[in-house]
Amino acid sequence: MRTCYTGEVSRGHLDQTVSLFGWVHRRRDHGGVIFIDLRDRAGLAQIVVDPDNVQAFEIAEKLRNEFCIRVSGLVRLRPEGTVNPELASGEVEVLCREIEILNPSVTPPFQLDDDNLSETTRLTHRVLDLRRPFMQRNLMLRYRVAMEVRKYLDQLGFIDIETPMLTKSTPEGARDYLVPSRVNAGQFYALPQSPQLFKQMLMVSGFDRYYQITKCFRDEDLRADRQPEFTQIDCETSFLSEVEIREIFEGMIRHVFGVAQQVELPAQFPTMTWDEAMRRYGSDKPDLRVKLEFTDISDLMRDVEFKVFSAPANDPASRVVALRVPGGAAMPRSEIDAYTKFVSIYGAKGLAYIKVNQAAAIPDGLQSPIVKNIHVDALRQLIERTGAVDGDLIFFGADKTKVVNDAMGALRVKIGHSDFGKQHGLFEKGWKPLWVIDFPMFEYDEEEGRYTAAHHPFTSPKDGHEDYLESDPGRALAKAYDMVLNGWEVGGGSVRIHRADVQSKVFRALNIDAEEARNKFGFLLDALQYGAPPHGGVAFGLDRLVTMMAGADSIRDVIAFPKTQRAQCLLTQAPSFVDEKQLRELHIRLRNVEAKPAA
């Protein structure tokens, strides 16, 4: 029987005989004495095998990396000068009395302490990758976060209720993952993109405080912070206002960081409207660690000769902004050229700039080919409005609003995170949380010529905006809110619509007629007729949250068995072809795909 975890052996076990289980991390032969670094999920302990113990020594000579063994021995202090302060067990070692090989191992495809492994290698051999201390720490952190969420919500009366994995396809936003039904030929289930409709029906059912840590599925293009299946902390409440909902879940995140990470977040998270976030940062999830922000200058550029600026300045669908970079005049031309190439990814046609050599000498103190095409009064107001001083650099974005926001927003973050940004104090370390509120209800789809829901069709408009749903949907704001942390959206939600008349107006604004609404959402609409309470909620991305807390580069580093960016599992080789018999049972025939027999 195990006395304790290997990594927990300490001074408290001095002169005790312990029984430890784990894997051989490394075996070292030092002049006849064999040292074994024994590893389990709690860490490492040093085992000393003396040649005087003939039987144990013979077994120790056979050990190789990743052998699974049992060791019993006496805990003693390490000799002076050999203490390892980086290990929790670094003050002590175990003098081996017995070793038992529980299972040998073939030679591993890589060393577990190799930090330069390709992701393909790691995901192909994920079982071994998960033995690495980095991955063990990440998954233990994930466990602690989930446990603290449960404790916090339980204390506030939230009930954990499961919702179905096989449900109705209601395609809105991302593509559904479909599951064919064998017993209902030609019909399909959908894996849930979120439990949204079910949690609203639970509110109608009287479970006024619900939560669930659950899997969600979206068939969308992948990137570092996306997976086809991901985990949500999904929550819903009744009879609370938007502000009260935010207060509860702000408290939850503050609690989780405090207990799981010993990090003290601000006592009250700041709030910012969506409109202000886009105006100042070009993003609805601004990274507030970066001390740069936009200055609107459209009004200054309407009458300048430089058409690149004056044309968008006079277009209501466009904007012109300046991004002042303190000390940026020292930036080498090669770096400016690299930024020009960078913004082109986001559709920007170029990146104009002015170096401010002498702010008081206009125009001669300004260095840029564009200066001669901008009149002196506009230049003077530009310097005054941006607050530029000698040695600064001003970048410009001038295009359609979305292009400017995307390109200059990304440029702002890239400069702030660069070596230049950090050396010049443009980046502040730490945690910067923020609530972004008052999102637009709708987005206009130019290709389809109609409005789409910015959040989802059941989001409530702000009080007094109900009439805009029919007269001017583009003006309607929503009782929607996102929690942003260091430039990542970690959670979002809204107050829901609980009145049938308002829901009908939203459907009409979305060009969803009564028949389509009944076909897609009839079960929810029926439920809302039975005294539906005012309700709202929020969902947090557990994967994203833990990724940030762990300091990992990708959510794949905090998920035990993730998919690649091609939505493949390299460990199990999923997805895979299935045999013809299975397809026939599901009433499916493949088109334009060469089916292969299942392995």
Side-chain angles (χ1 to χ4, degrees):
M1 181 176 293
R2 176 164 51 193
T3 307
C4 64
Y5 282 105
T6 296
E8 295 174 350
V9 177
S10 67
R11 274 181 170 270
H13 297 94
L14 278 178
D15 300 324
Q16 296 179 25
T17 298
V18 294
S19 181
L20 306 175
F21 293 78
W23 289 266
V24 175
H25 188 67
R26 189 175 288 104
R27 171 187 167 277
R28 295 166 283 135
D29 192 333
H30 287 188
V33 177
I34 294 176
F35 293 87
I36 301 165
D37 291 335
L38 186 64
R39 186 192 71 246
D40 63 13
R41 76 182 200 189
L44 297 173
Q46 178 170 282
I47 313 299
V48 181
V49 188
D50 196 294
D52 291 342
N53 188 336
V54 177
Q55 185 177 12
F57 196 82
E58 288 179 352
I59 296 175
E61 286 183 313
K62 301 174 184 176
L63 298 180
R64 298 294 180 268
N65 287 5
E66 301 313 310
F67 274 36
C68 184
I69 64 174
R70 177 186 67 83
V71 172
S72 66
L74 182 70
V75 179
R76 67 185 188 186
L77 290 173
R78 291 196 187 195
E80 187 176 350
T82 64
V83 170
N84 186 348
E86 295 184 3
L87 296 180
S89 62
E91 290 185 291
V92 298
E93 61 188 14
V94 178
L95 178 62
C96 177
R97 289 178 175 169
E98 293 181 7
I99 300 181
E100 179 185 0
I101 297 176
L102 302 175
N103 216 335
S105 170
V106 298
T107 302
F110 53 80
Q111 294 289 333
L112 267 65
D113 53 5
D114 184 353
D115 293 328
N116 297 309
L117 299 172
S118 72
E119 189 171 58
T120 298
T121 298
R122 291 179 55 204
L123 295 184
T124 301
H125 303 281
R126 189 61 162 185
V127 173
L128 289 178
D129 185 46
L130 289 175
R131 289 185 184 176
R132 298 168 66 226
F134 171 71
M135 290 303 302
Q136 298 252 316
R137 286 194 300 270
N138 287 356
L139 292 191
M140 291 298 290
L141 173 61
R142 185 186 179 106
Y143 160 75
R144 290 197 303 273
V145 168
M147 282 300 299
E148 292 306 323
V149 165
R150 293 184 185 280
K151 290 177 184 177
Y152 179 89
L153 293 176
D154 182 67
Q155 290 177 351
L156 292 179
F158 282 80
I159 302 170
D160 185 352
I161 304 177
E162 296 177 359
T163 53
M165 286 290 113
L166 296 176
T167 184
K168 179 182 176 67
S169 177
T170 55
E172 289 288 332
R175 202 176 286 111
D176 282 332
Y177 274 102
L178 299 177
V179 180
S181 171
R182 179 182 60 81
V183 296
N184 298 284
Q187 297 184 21
F188 293 80
Y189 302 102
L191 299 180
Q193 295 190 26
S194 80
Q196 180 63 47
L197 302 182
F198 287 103
K199 67 181 181 182
Q200 288 191 247
M201 290 188 288
L202 286 170
M203 295 301 102
V204 182
S205 299
F207 296 97
D208 64 308
R209 293 197 171 192
Y210 142 95
Y211 86 97
Q212 186 182 186
I213 299 180
T214 185
K215 287 287 187 185
C216 301
F217 306 85
R218 293 178 188 172
D219 187 4
E220 57 188 352
D221 295 335
L222 306 182
R223 59 190 185 208
D225 61 347
R226 282 184 180 169
Q227 281 280 289
E229 52 180 320
F230 57 96
T231 305
Q232 260 186 201
I233 305 168
D234 196 58
C235 311
E236 196 80 2
T237 68
S238 296
F239 310 116
L240 293 179
S241 69
E242 176 185 348
V243 172
E244 290 170 324
I245 293 171
R246 293 205 312 262
E247 286 175 348
I248 285 177
F249 294 104
E250 179 179 315
M252 183 186 82
I253 296 301
R254 193 181 296 110
H255 169 80
V256 168
F257 267 81
V259 177
Q261 287 286 85
Q262 291 77 54
V263 168
E264 187 175 346
L265 295 179
Q268 185 172 3
F269 295 0
T271 60
M272 182 181 296
T273 65
W274 177 88
D275 184 68
E276 182 183 358
M278 300 304 292
R279 177 170 51 82
R280 294 173 60 185
Y281 306 110
S283 170
D284 58 7
K285 46 182 183 294
D287 187 345
L288 298 186
R289 295 173 300 173
V290 177
K291 299 178 180 179
L292 300 173
E293 62 180 81
F294 297 174
T295 301
D296 276 304
I297 57 169
S298 294
D299 60 319
L300 304 182
M301 299 296 156
R302 290 193 179 115
D303 61 350
V304 301
E305 294 180 10
F306 193 42
K307 298 298 183 184
V308 172
F309 284 4
S310 61
N314 287 284
D315 178 4
S318 301
R319 70 183 302 201
V320 184
V321 304
L323 183 68
R324 173 199 166 210
V325 181
M331 194 180 291
R333 179 58 187 266
S334 60
E335 192 166 349
I336 294 174
D337 290 343
Y339 287 141
T340 302
K341 185 176 181 180
F342 172 74
V343 296
S344 69
I345 298 171
Y346 301 89
K349 302 178 184 67
L351 183 62
Y353 66 90
I354 291 177
K355 286 188 176 183
V356 183
N357 297 327
Q358 289 182 279
I362 297 175
D364 296 339
L366 307 181
Q367 179 184 344
S368 171
I370 70 172
V371 169
K372 63 180 181 293
N373 296 315
I374 302 176
H375 57 75
V376 171
D377 185 52
L379 291 172
R380 186 174 290 111
Q381 290 187 65
L382 167 68
I383 297 301
E384 182 180 332
R385 190 174 295 184
T386 59
V389 298
D390 296 357
D392 288 354
L393 178 70
I394 303 173
F395 284 118
F396 298 93
D399 210 311
K400 293 295 183 184
T401 297
K402 185 178 188 313
V403 173
V404 171
N405 288 343
D406 290 350
M408 299 301 288
L411 177 65
R412 169 186 172 271
V413 173
K414 191 168 182 67
I415 293 173
H417 284 257
S418 69
D419 290 340
F420 177 91
K422 292 173 181 176
Q423 290 166 5
H424 286 73
L426 307 182
F427 180 87
E428 182 181 353
K429 292 182 179 180
W431 297 99
K432 295 290 185 179
L434 171 73
W435 282 109
V436 178
I437 62 173
D438 294 355
F439 281 77
M441 280 281 290
F442 308 105
E443 296 170 346
Y444 192 75
D445 189 318
E446 296 284 354
E447 292 184 8
E448 295 191 14
R450 71 181 185 93
Y451 286 102
T452 59
H455 190 56
H456 58 62
F458 312 105
T459 300
S460 176
K462 287 189 73 68
D463 296 340
H465 285 228
E466 294 89 349
D467 290 342
Y468 293 147
L469 300 177
E470 295 184 309
S471 63
D472 189 359
R475 291 183 63 185
L477 298 181
K479 292 181 180 178
Y481 35 84
D482 281 355
M483 183 184 289
V484 177
L485 187 60
N486 290 5
W488 285 42
E489 176 199 332
V490 294
S494 67
V495 173
R496 324 303 184 188
I497 297 169
H498 68 283
R499 286 168 38 199
D501 60 328
V502 177
Q503 186 66 72
S504 296
K505 288 180 180 180
V506 170
F507 282 151
R508 285 197 294 272
L510 293 170
N511 202 25
I512 297 175
D513 59 29
E515 182 179 354
E516 183 181 359
R518 169 59 49 186
N519 182 48
K520 286 184 175 180
F521 312 113
F523 55 94
L524 175 64
L525 298 177
D526 287 343
L528 292 177
Q529 296 180 89
Y530 298 104
H535 60 282
V538 64
F540 291 90
L542 179 63
D543 310 300
R544 288 187 184 184
L545 198 58
V546 179
T547 299
M548 297 187 71
M549 296 172 79
D553 295 326
S554 164
I555 63 172
R556 291 187 289 276
D557 285 336
V558 301
I559 298 172
F561 301 105
K563 307 292 190 293
T564 67
Q565 289 191 342
R566 289 181 54 83
Q568 295 172 314
C569 175
L570 299 183
L571 177 68
T572 63
Q573 299 298 304
S576 61
F577 289 100
V578 298
D579 60 38
E580 186 64 29
K581 180 175 181 292
Q582 287 176 282
L583 293 176
R584 283 198 303 272
E585 290 175 339
L586 295 170
H587 319 286
I588 290 177
R589 179 183 299 164
L590 300 181
R591 298 176 58 190
N592 303 323
V593 175
E594 182 181 350
K596 298 179 182 179

